[in-house]
Structures are given as C-alpha cells and as structure tokens.
Amino acid sequence: REERERAHKREIDSLLAETQGKKERMDQEQEAMAMLSRERAERDAAEAKSRDQIARLEREGKEAASKAESRLKEIEAMRAERAASQEEAVRKLQGEVEREKEARAKLEQEQMKEVEELKEKQRQAEEKAVQQQKELEELWRERADKDEKEREATERMRK
C-alpha cells in the first residue's frame, strides 16, 4: 500500500513537473509572440515614416517645379510687354534688352540648376526608398529565419 502511495505520489509529481514545463514553454511562446508583435509594429511604423518622407519629397519637388514654371511664365510675360514698348523706343531700350537677355539667361541657368537639383533630390529619395525597401526585405528575411529557428526550437522542446 505504501509502495502504491509512493508510486502514486511520484506519478503526481511527474505530472506536476510536466505541467510546469508546458506552462513555462507556453509562457516563452507568449513572450516570443509579444516580441514579434512589437517588432512588427516597429517595422510598420518605419515603413509608414518612409512612405511619409517619400510623399513629402515628391510634394516638395512638385511644388518647386511649379514655382519655377510660374517664375518662367512671369518672366516671359514681362518680356512680351517690354518687346511691345521696344518698338516705340528701340534705341532707348537696347541696353535694357541686353540686360534682360542676360538676366533671362542667368535665370534660366538658375532654373535649370534648380530643376537638376530637384531631379537629384528625387533620385536620392527614390534610392533611399529602394534602400529602405531592401532593408525591410532583409529584416523580413531575418525575421522569417528567426521564426523558423524558433519553430524548430519549439518543436525540439516539444519532443
């Protein structure tokens, strides 16, 4: 009888130890899931920030291009007005016409420079977006590898 009671007590202790082990594994799995959730949220936030930055750069590029186009139209309108008045006083305005041509050439050079700078900014933004996308893909691959290792570890622990 005592032997049966001891055997019964050993069986109960064994079941308690097994239950405790399962509880600890479940706790570890819950911690891992919580960590994955946090990392996923961080990645989502980083992706949203990246999209916002790209949208802002695109918007700024469009605004700058629009301003440059507006300036060019204004200059062209002023030039047309001056051309009409030149017919009345050609000699008087010849010097001014030369200065206007120089100013226009300088402005056109500045505008071309601005356009090139905007193109460069957009190119850099696109490169940055591509780089960020590559980094995100690498993070996803690392996460998938880590998840696979965790699943394998979990399977080994279960066995």
Side-chain angles (χ1 to χ4, degrees), residues 36-104:
L36 283 175
S37 179
R38 283 191 302 275
E39 289 175 359
R40 211 171 282 127
E42 289 170 2
R43 277 195 303 271
D44 290 348
E47 287 176 12
K49 184 177 179 182
S50 176
R51 283 192 299 274
D52 290 347
Q53 288 173 337
I54 290 168
R56 181 181 49 82
L57 288 173
E58 287 175 350
R59 192 172 52 252
E60 288 173 359
K62 288 177 183 176
E63 288 172 2
S66 174
K67 286 179 183 177
E69 188 177 334
S70 227
R71 282 190 222 136
L72 183 59
K73 287 180 181 178
E74 289 173 11
I75 291 169
E76 288 172 346
M78 289 188 324
R79 189 165 187 244
E81 290 174 18
R82 287 185 182 131
S85 65
Q86 282 177 349
E87 293 174 5
E88 298 172 16
V90 172
R91 271 189 290 138
K92 193 176 182 181
L93 296 176
Q94 280 179 343
E96 191 175 327
V97 169
E98 283 302 312
R99 285 189 300 276
E100 181 64 24
K101 285 180 183 178
E102 290 171 5
R104 181 175 172 81

Side-chain angles (χ1 to χ4, degrees), residues 110-156:
E110 290 173 0
Q111 288 173 342
M112 289 296 288
K113 185 178 177 183
E114 285 180 13
V115 167
E116 288 302 318
E117 288 172 356
L118 289 172
K119 286 180 182 178
E120 179 62 20
K121 283 181 182 178
Q122 185 169 1
R123 183 192 64 76
Q124 289 174 356
E126 290 171 355
E127 285 179 2
K128 186 175 181 180
V130 167
Q131 181 61 34
Q132 288 175 339
Q133 183 62 36
K134 287 179 183 176
E135 290 171 6
L136 284 173
E137 290 172 1
E138 181 61 28
L139 285 173
W140 280 110
R141 278 194 293 278
E142 290 173 8
R143 186 69 233 162
D145 291 345
K146 188 175 179 182
D147 289 348
E148 183 61 32
K149 288 178 184 176
E150 288 176 4
R151 279 193 289 279
E152 290 172 3
T154 302
E155 285 299 318
R156 284 194 301 272

